[in-house]
């Protein structure tokens, strides 16, 4: 037992270690082609490694190639599966294994099994997925082995060491079960994070509704006054023109406020693209303007739009991250104040700086910033900064915070230049 225990542990490591890369691959899900390509790389890496380190089980040389093959085929679909099969066959040929054509004939039926079952498998619950993966993996191994050994006239090998053979099936079932569980957990974790981002976004929309309504009321009152003027007094044409111009300006402003607000509530298209930070900082100032006015706060922007600097990310998520931080800054300045939005560009990275002269935080409070459900507000969720931080980190950004109680807070966000 101990003889192959070491090899067994090594194989678990070899199969599971590429799963560490899964979080990065999950990020690519919006680009299906790239996502499938990375899935293929992940599982082919694991496939090649298992084939390179077979286990010697009581004289029976054995490897776990069917695990990455099954996992990759079931999670990636037809194209990923076909590429994995091709990789397996090529690598087997490269390893100088005997009877390559017979092996191709023995292995190929399993490809069609995956093709037929892939969609059905992905609609199953976790327990059923594990059971299906264990069953499929064992079936495929049995099918391939039996066909291969029958054609090559060595079928008696299958029954030579029955206990060792059964053990290989058990171990394989155990490992694939664990892998399906781990993949499912990772997937659920990311889905939960995405849900949290969405629900926080709706919270922002809800919080800002009052200020938007308030802001639109002002132009409406102005226009109402002018309509009265038009109706009551004898106005010369010059004055009429001027009042008309003011009315249109006010209407345009209301339209802009509504458009910005609606854009905030729109569902995300999830596209990673190059975004110009100066432009985004001006957009941020526009969106926050109504909320700031409502709280008696001024916004100063220092971001020149003359020299574009592009960073990589999902524009709408990035906006959400900045709005969360800006909104917190406004909420921290209870008696009024100034929110400063600055950009500073270096060769390969840029800083976005949001500073307020609000309540500030103690070092203890700063430590808790970004942890779930930490809030000092009566109606706070304590999820805003957590969501912002996770969006910024996904964009390979860095966050530095300086804060002093009663003086103010400064959020320094650094982003690398888009390639
Ligand atoms: P919420 O805004 O719902 O309370 P957040 O995660 O957005 O949740 O913020 C968590 C807490 O961090 C806030 O309740 C507040 O105490 C603190 N905080 C965040 N930004 C600032 C800031 N600019 N100044 C002072 N305190 C802040
Ligand atoms: Mg908040």
């Amino acid at each position: 037992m101990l003889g192959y225990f070491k090899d067994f542990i090594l194989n678990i490591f070899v199969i599971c270690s590429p799963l560490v890369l899964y979080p990065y691959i999950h990020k690519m899900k919006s680009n299906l082609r790239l996502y499938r390509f990375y899935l293929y790389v992940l599982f082919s890496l694991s496939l090649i490694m298992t084939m390179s380190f077979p286990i010697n089980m009581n004289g029976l040389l054995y490897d776990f190639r069917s695990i990455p093959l099954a996992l990759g085929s079931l999670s990636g679909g037809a194209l990923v599966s076909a590429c994995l099969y091709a990789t397996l066959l090529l690598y087997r040929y490269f390893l100088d294994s005997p009877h390559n054509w017979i092996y191709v004939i023995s292995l190929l039926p399993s490809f069609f099994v995956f093709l037929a079952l892939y969609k059905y498998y992905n609609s199953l619950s976790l327990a059923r997925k594990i059971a299906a993966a264990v069953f499929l993996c064992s079936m495929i191994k049995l099918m391939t082995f039996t066909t291969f050994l029958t054609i090559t006239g060595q079928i008696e090998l299958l029954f030579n060491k029955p206990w060792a053979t059964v053990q290989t099936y058990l171990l394989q079932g155990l490992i694939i079960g664990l892998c399906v569980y781990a993949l499912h957990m990772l997937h659920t974790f990311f889905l939960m994070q995405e849900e949290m981002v969405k629900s926080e976004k709706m919270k922002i929309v809800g919080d800002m509704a009052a200020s938007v309504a308030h802001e639109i009321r002002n132009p409406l009152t102005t226009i109402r006054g002018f309509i009265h003027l038009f109706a009551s007094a004898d106005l010369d044409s010059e004055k009429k023109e001027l009042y008309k111009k003011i009315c249109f300006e006010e209407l345009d402003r209301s339209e802009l406020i509504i458009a910005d607000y609606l854009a905030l509530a729109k569902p995300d298209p999830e596209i990673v693209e190059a975004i110009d930070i100066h432009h985004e900082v001006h957009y941020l100032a526009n969106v926050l303007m109504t909320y700031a006015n409502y709280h008696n706060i001024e916004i100063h922007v220092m971001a020149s739009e003359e020299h574009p600097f592009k960073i990589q990310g999902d524009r709408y998520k990035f906006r959400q991250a900045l709005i969360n931080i800006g909104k917190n800054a406004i909420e921290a300045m209870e008696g009024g104040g100034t929110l400063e939005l600055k950009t500073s560009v270096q060769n390969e990275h840029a800083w976005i700086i949001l500073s307020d002269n609000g309540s500030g935080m103690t070092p203890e409070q700063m430590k808790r910033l970004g942890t779930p459900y930490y809030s000092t507000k009566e109606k706070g969720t304590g999820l805003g900064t957590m969501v912002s931080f996770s969006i910024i980190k996904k964009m390979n950004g860095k966050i530095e915070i300086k804060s002093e109680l009663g003086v103010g807070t400064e959020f320094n966000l650094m982003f690398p230049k888009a390639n």
Side-chain angles (χ1 to χ4, degrees):
M1 178 85 185
L2 261 183
Y4 67 75
F5 188 68
K6 211 170 62 193
D7 289 342
F8 174 59
I9 297 287
L10 176 71
N11 260 269
I12 293 191
F13 175 73
V14 153
I15 294 171
C16 295
S17 54
L19 293 186
V20 174
L21 300 175
Y22 187 75
Y24 300 98
I25 295 175
H26 187 89
K27 273 200 241 173
M28 314 279 173
K29 230 171 172 172
S30 50
N31 185 340
L32 211 58
R33 268 192 201 168
L34 210 61
Y35 173 68
R36 288 198 176 129
F37 172 71
Y38 282 118
L39 266 190
Y40 160 69
V41 173
L42 177 85
F43 287 109
S44 62
L45 215 72
S46 163
L47 186 68
I48 287 173
M49 289 208 282
T50 55
M51 288 171 74
S52 311
F53 301 104
I55 300 178
N56 189 341
M57 230 170 181
N58 307 327
L60 195 74
L61 216 57
Y62 175 75
D63 68 53
F64 289 117
R65 68 183 70 174
S66 29
I67 296 179
L69 192 65
L71 277 179
S73 300
L74 290 172
S75 41
L79 193 63
V80 175
S81 179
C83 294
L84 284 173
Y85 271 79
T87 309
L88 190 160
L89 294 172
L90 274 175
Y91 194 57
R92 190 179 186 277
Y93 174 76
F94 172 74
L95 287 178
D96 260 347
S97 305
H99 309 300
N100 277 309
W101 282 112
I102 299 178
Y103 188 76
V104 172
I105 295 167
S106 320
L107 185 72
L108 272 192
S110 64
F111 172 66
F112 296 103
V113 175
F114 284 133
L115 217 58
L117 294 180
Y118 144 75
K119 283 214 172 105
Y120 173 68
Y121 169 84
N122 281 297
S123 64
L124 293 176
S125 65
L126 173 62
R128 289 189 175 176
K129 257 187 189 164
I130 293 179
V134 172
F135 177 74
L136 276 176
C137 212
S138 310
M139 277 304 294
I140 273 144
K141 186 162 120 73
L142 193 66
M143 224 160 75
T144 313
F145 254 144
T146 321
T147 320
F148 184 80
L149 294 177
T150 309
I151 300 177
T152 53
Q154 312 172 72
I155 191 69
E156 72 282 357
L157 281 182
L158 199 64
F159 309 105
N160 253 2
K161 290 172 179 158
W163 176 230
T165 309
V166 170
Q167 271 181 318
T168 62
Y169 279 88
L170 290 177
L171 291 180
Q172 179 181 277
L174 182 73
I175 301 180
I176 195 164
L178 280 175
C179 287
V180 172
Y181 181 76
L183 276 176
H184 180 86
M185 283 306 165
L186 281 170
H187 189 70
T188 316
F189 173 73
F190 289 117
L191 275 187
M192 256 172 59
Q193 264 199 337
E194 275 161 22
E195 279 308 309
M196 223 172 237
V197 171
K198 272 190 209 145
S199 69
E200 259 311 286
K201 194 170 104 172
M202 291 332 284
K203 168 93 169 59
I204 294 185
V205 172
D207 283 356
M208 287 173 70
S211 61
V212 170
H214 178 84
E215 198 75 359
I216 290 169
R217 198 186 282 154
N218 289 342
L220 287 183
T221 318
T222 317
I223 294 165
R224 196 169 192 276
F226 280 116
I227 291 175
H228 267 297
L229 270 179
F230 274 127
S232 62
D234 277 339
L235 294 172
D236 56 47
S237 59
E238 211 174 290
K239 274 221 168 107
K240 259 189 191 165
E241 254 335 285
L242 177 72
Y243 293 167
K244 214 166 85 186
K245 192 168 159 261
I246 296 174
C247 280
F248 277 123
E249 272 173 11
E250 291 293 289
L251 280 172
D252 285 347
R253 210 169 79 80
S254 316
E255 207 177 298
L256 214 75
I257 293 170
I258 294 170
D260 275 350
Y261 180 68
L262 288 180
L264 199 69
K266 245 185 11 197
D268 295 340
E270 273 277 359
I271 303 168
V272 174
E273 57 188 327
I275 336 170
D276 179 43
I277 58 156
H278 305 300
H279 177 78
E280 288 306 316
V281 165
H282 281 280
Y283 172 85
L284 174 71
N286 274 341
V287 170
L288 286 178
M289 195 64 80
T290 49
Y291 199 58
N293 285 346
Y294 195 60
H295 288 84
N296 201 16
I297 286 174
E298 273 186 48
I299 299 186
H300 287 176
V301 187
M302 279 165 266
S304 140
E305 281 188 280
E306 277 165 29
H307 308 288
F309 185 96
K310 300 215 166 172
I311 61 172
Q312 193 104 357
D314 178 315
R315 182 186 302 274
Y316 299 95
K317 292 242 163 72
F318 175 62
R319 285 179 177 173
Q320 186 185 350
L322 294 187
I323 292 169
N324 274 338
I325 296 171
K327 192 168 150 281
N328 277 342
I330 293 172
E331 286 160 2
M333 295 184 276
E334 262 180 30
T338 310
L339 169 63
E340 273 187 11
L341 307 175
K342 254 188 285 182
T343 55
S344 137
V345 170
Q346 275 144 24
N347 287 342
E348 286 309 308
H349 52 259
W351 292 90
I352 297 179
I353 302 146
L354 296 97
S355 52
D356 65 67
N357 43 15
S359 61
M361 287 174 275
T362 62
E364 284 72 29
Q365 284 174 327
M366 275 173 67
K367 262 188 222 150
R368 297 191 60 188
L369 205 61
T371 55
Y373 311 113
Y374 165 67
S375 175
T376 53
K377 295 167 201 167
E378 207 178 308
K379 285 188 182 158
T381 59
L383 293 173
T385 39
M386 192 194 79
V387 165
S388 295
F389 289 4
S390 98
I391 293 173
I392 293 167
K393 279 182 190 151
K394 259 195 194 161
M395 294 173 67
N396 298 322
K398 275 193 190 146
I399 306 149
E400 276 174 24
I401 306 161
K402 294 173 203 158
S403 188
E404 203 175 320
L405 201 64
V407 178
T409 306
E410 191 176 287
F411 275 78
N412 295 278
L413 315 174
M414 192 199 86
F415 296 92
K417 198 174 186 171
N419 308 315

